[in-house]
Amino acid sequence: MSATSPNPSLGLQSKRWNGLRNILEREGPFCKDDFSPSPDNLEFLQTKCKVLVIGAGGLGCELLKDLALMGFGDLHVIDMDTIELSNLNRQFLFRRSDIGASKAECAARFIQNRLPTCRVTPHFAKIQDFDDTFYQQFHIIVCGLDSIVARRWINGMLLSMLRYDSDNTIDVSSIIPMIDGGTEGFKGNARVILPGFTACIECTLDLFPPQVNYPLCTIANTPRLPEHCIEYVKIIQWDKENPFNVPLDGDDPQHLAWVYERALERANQFNITGITYRLVQGVIKHIIPAVASTNAVIAAACATEVFKIATSCYDSMANYLNFNDLDGIYTYTYEAEKSDTCLACSNAPQVLPIEDPNTTTLEDVIKLLCESARFQLKSPGLTTVFQDGKKKTLYMANVKSIEEATRKNLTQSLGELGLQDGQQLTVTDATSPTAMTLQLKYQTNEIEMN
Ligand SMILES: [Zn+2]
């Protein structure tokens, strides 16, 4: 399949858009109140409506194709990745000759060649490389991401862009709807988020199970699963024996073969079965196999929602669709509720209950922020301001010199650090572009004085 040459008959008058015209130029019982049937609707899609697609992988390729064929004429796509051989079975905008090139750039070029009415602007970059002035230019943002951290970050960005009127209501013109698709093997979901109005990513954070991390003691001493043996080789044996004098690379077949051999030996020692090369690959790279048909269904659901929001031709889905085609096809939609205590969108002060400030160390607090379903932070940095106005960095893992200087605080109790009941901690993390404020609430009020 090669891209066809530009075809002038694809313009606004083309027969290609007749199906869309039926929807956009006629009144119907399900249209939203602000819908007015008119040829202007198609023109709006093709010339004015600006949509950002985040991710040009499995979902992103489907999304770009769907949106272009649905009449959208001004798409942007962001992706920081380059094309690998293993992508080609489902990321159908790429060819073997594209291996090593930017996904965003190749996808944009392919769509544009195939459908010259659609202008696609690629961004070979991370979402974190852009600030609010970039994101502000879009009418709708649609995500086909495989990373929860990235989803949370863009969610935080869109929330930070909300403007409020004097009576503290949201200025609706500052809302950029976000459509989020996600797939994992045969399961997928699609959701519509109106930042500030409907449930955001953080409101439903407990839907994401925390990533499985096996306890080190189990891996080292009492392995029971084939995964434990593979993790052992990955975490302990590789560093010890350093077989190729380089860090382990999950894309290098020689490395994987070495891990496979050693994991098999270890599994035999403990009478564990089930080590396969494919499992080794999965554990090392944290891969859940991608399924093209799931991507197609979820992207179609997302693109339909983008179309409905852009044209008002029908009500948006409310607001969370689950899909499973593991065994037959099963799907349903439910309304995820906005959480009154959401870290990102509730504007409510976040209270952090502390059992006893004399025994709770800073490390305990950080562990809680990382491991509890409510927070699921990655590597939080904590600062505070004392009553005398002095600012203190309590801990910061990301900057080496600060980490070294603040490491000693980890083993100190909150009382020893001089933190009072009700004191606020400012927390930064990779999961959000903005800082979050937590208020300490001590259950025992006595702080021991030394
Ligand atoms: Zn929320």
Side-chain angles (χ1 to χ4, degrees):
M1 198 158 48
S2 73
T4 52
S5 55
N7 181 348
S9 71
L10 289 177
L12 267 174
Q13 298 313 315
S14 161
K15 279 187 187 159
R16 175 187 281 269
W17 312 118
N18 280 355
L20 286 179
R21 285 185 195 290
N22 287 338
I23 297 170
L24 297 177
E25 296 178 14
R26 298 193 302 201
E27 189 64 75
F30 300 113
C31 297
K32 285 176 75 174
D33 294 340
D34 59 342
F35 176 76
S36 52
S38 154
D40 296 347
N41 292 327
L42 183 57
E43 198 189 334
F44 172 74
L45 283 191
Q46 299 211 321
T47 59
K48 297 197 184 74
C49 185
K50 212 165 179 176
V51 177
L52 174 66
V53 177
I54 301 183
L59 273 173
C61 282
E62 291 277 356
L63 282 167
L64 288 165
K65 172 262 288 172
D66 289 349
L67 293 170
L69 291 173
M70 283 173 116
F72 287 88
D74 191 357
L75 303 177
H76 284 236
V77 57
I78 304 183
D79 199 305
M80 61 183 283
D81 284 342
T82 53
I83 296 157
E84 293 176 29
L85 176 67
S86 63
N87 301 146
L88 300 185
N89 69 340
R90 62 193 184 283
Q91 298 176 24
F92 51 83
L93 301 179
F94 312 137
R95 297 294 171 268
R96 193 173 266 271
S97 57
D98 297 327
I99 290 172
S102 149
K103 286 188 178 180
E105 287 166 7
C106 285
R109 199 165 48 235
F110 191 103
I111 296 282
Q112 189 131 15
N113 284 339
R114 197 61 177 265
L115 206 70
T117 48
C118 183
R119 194 168 72 243
V120 187
T121 310
H123 303 278
F124 181 22
K126 295 203 287 278
I127 53 171
Q128 292 87 349
D129 293 340
F130 300 97
D131 61 10
D132 52 346
T133 47
F134 172 80
Y135 292 107
Q136 235 143 32
Q137 63 179 309
F138 298 103
H139 291 95
I140 302 168
I141 291 179
V142 50
C143 301
L145 286 162
D146 57 4
S147 148
I148 293 167
V149 172
R151 261 195 198 92
R152 292 173 70 182
W153 190 92
I154 189 72
N155 179 67
M157 172 55 81
L158 296 183
L159 285 166
S160 75
M161 285 157 57
L162 292 176
R163 288 187 306 270
Y164 292 83
D165 293 332
S166 51
D167 58 347
N168 226 6
T169 53
I170 298 172
D171 172 359
V172 287
S173 70
S174 67
I175 298 173
I176 299 178
M178 166 170 159
I179 317 294
D180 181 45
T183 65
E184 212 173 71
F186 289 99
K187 295 178 194 161
N189 67 75
R191 58 192 296 187
V192 177
I193 296 171
L194 300 177
F197 270 95
T198 63
C200 80
I201 299 281
E202 304 279 331
C203 286
T204 55
L205 198 60
D206 48 358
L207 295 178
F208 299 115
Q211 193 157 29
V212 188
N213 280 320
Y214 303 108
L216 196 63
C217 53
T218 306
I219 295 170
N221 304 317
T222 52
R224 294 181 312 277
L225 301 171
E227 287 86 346
H228 293 157
C229 302
I230 299 167
E231 286 281 355
Y232 177 83
V233 179
K234 175 186 161 188
I235 296 172
I236 296 167
Q237 223 169 339
W238 184 275
D239 282 343
K240 211 154 57 183
E241 301 188 22
N242 203 359
F244 300 93
N245 292 315
V246 285
L248 178 58
D249 176 0
D251 291 317
D252 186 326
Q254 264 188 308
H255 290 197
L256 290 176
W258 191 90
V259 175
Y260 170 71
E261 296 285 335
R262 297 302 171 292
L264 202 58
E265 279 169 20
R266 186 165 172 82
N268 287 337
Q269 270 172 33
F270 289 91
N271 290 323
I272 296 167
T273 54
I275 301 268
T276 62
Y277 186 79
R278 194 171 256 275
L279 184 69
V280 169
Q281 226 178 355
V283 172
I284 300 294
K285 295 185 73 182
H286 293 287
I287 307 178
I288 292 158
V291 176
S293 56
T294 315
N295 283 342
V297 171
I298 294 302
C302 290
T304 307
E305 293 306 318
V306 176
F307 182 83
K308 291 193 304 194
I309 289 178
T311 63
S312 286
C313 69
Y314 196 87
D315 266 332
S316 292
M317 168 176 84
N319 51 33
Y320 199 118
L321 170 124
N322 259 316
F323 175 80
N324 186 335
D325 60 349
L326 186 61
D327 189 11
I329 286 185
Y330 180 62
T331 183
Y332 63 93
T333 306
Y334 77 101
E335 189 164 352
E337 281 179 29
K338 194 166 177 296
S339 160
D340 293 336
T341 57
C342 172
L343 289 176
C345 76
S346 68
N347 286 332
Q350 297 295 324
V351 173
L352 190 67
I354 299 290
E355 199 63 51
D356 182 353
N358 302 305
T359 54
T360 306
T361 62
L362 188 64
E363 195 165 23
D364 295 331
V365 171
I366 291 175
K367 215 169 149 203
L368 175 81
L369 293 176
C370 293
E371 290 176 2
S372 76
R374 177 177 165 210
F375 297 104
Q376 298 189 37
L377 302 187
K378 296 297 156 197
S379 173
L382 279 74
T383 55
T384 191
V385 179
F386 288 98
Q387 263 170 357
D388 59 5
K390 247 176 89 182
K391 191 178 161 185
K392 181 180 167 118
T393 301
L394 297 167
Y395 187 68
M396 193 79 68
N398 300 337
V399 184
K400 193 160 174 277
S401 57
I402 305 180
E403 197 282 329
E404 281 165 4
T406 54
R407 194 183 300 158
K408 61 179 189 310
N409 293 341
L410 288 176
T411 50
Q412 300 216 30
S413 74
L414 302 188
E416 285 167 334
L417 288 166
L419 298 168
Q420 305 288 326
D421 185 26
Q423 188 154 346
Q424 295 190 338
L425 305 181
T426 303
V427 183
T428 53
D429 191 61
T431 53
S432 172
T434 51
M436 149 176 93
T437 306
L438 289 179
Q439 189 171 36
L440 295 172
K441 181 149 181 53
Y442 293 165
Q443 315 291 317
T444 325
N445 242 338
E446 308 279 297
I447 293 186
E448 288 161 19
M449 293 291 173
N450 303 328

